[in-house]
Every structure is written in structure tokens, then in C-alpha cells.
Amino acid sequence: MAVATITTQPFDTLPSLKRKPLPAGLPREWYETHNRRLKAMRLAIALLDSGVYHPANASNRRIRSTAARIGIHPPSDTTCHMVRTLIR
């Protein structure tokens, strides 16, 4: 069974993934939720790559240590909950 490694390559330098500007004029809550979802997705992918396949194994401490390892700010409790939801 092959195990993927966690990459720390910045999003902007990936060849096929270029950032697009977000649409203007939306409420601030939309942008906050959007960014929270992106962060949760990055963390869920990193946890799955490291072998955490069940939400019960993804404690807040483990999620936050993964965030530190991949170089993003520590997530809130709400974001940690979203990560566990995505792992299901």
C-alpha cells in the first residue's frame, strides 16, 4: 500500500492551479465561510495523506499539529469540526 507524502508547496506555484479573484460585492460572512471551507479541505487532505481515515482519530490537537506542519494558521474549533465532517 503506497502512502502519499504531505507537500508544502505553495498553492500559487502549482502548475495547473491558478487562483482566481473572488467575486466582489458579497457579504463578509460569505468570504469568511469560503476561506474556512478551503482551509478545512486542505487540512482534511493532509490528514488523509498522513493516514487519518476516521473522524474519531482526528482530534483538535491532531488537526492543529497538522496545520502547523503544513504551514497554515491553527484552525478554530468550528474549522476542526468541518475537517472531521469532510473526513467522513
Side-chain angles (χ1 to χ4, degrees):
M1 178 177 181
V3 177
T5 59
I6 297 175
T7 61
T8 57
Q9 186 175 10
F11 183 81
D12 294 337
T13 61
L14 294 174
S16 64
L17 301 174
K18 295 295 178 186
R19 290 188 182 203
K20 297 177 192 174
L22 293 175
L26 296 173
R28 180 177 178 85
E29 293 80 25
W30 184 90
Y31 298 103
E32 291 171 356
T33 303
H34 175 76
N35 289 331
R36 187 183 306 269
R37 287 179 184 153
L38 290 177
K39 185 180 212 176
M41 182 64 73
R42 280 189 221 109
L43 286 167
I45 291 169
L47 285 166
L48 290 169
D49 286 346
S50 68
V52 177
Y53 300 114
H54 197 272
N57 295 336
S59 64
N60 286 358
R61 177 180 285 181
R62 179 172 265 177
I63 292 170
R64 290 185 176 118
S65 67
T66 301
R69 190 174 52 216
I70 64 174
I72 59 178
H73 289 286
S76 66
D77 291 340
T78 304
T79 305
C80 290
H81 180 72
M82 290 178 81
V83 170
R84 283 189 288 277
T85 302
L86 287 170
I87 291 176
R88 285 177 216 215

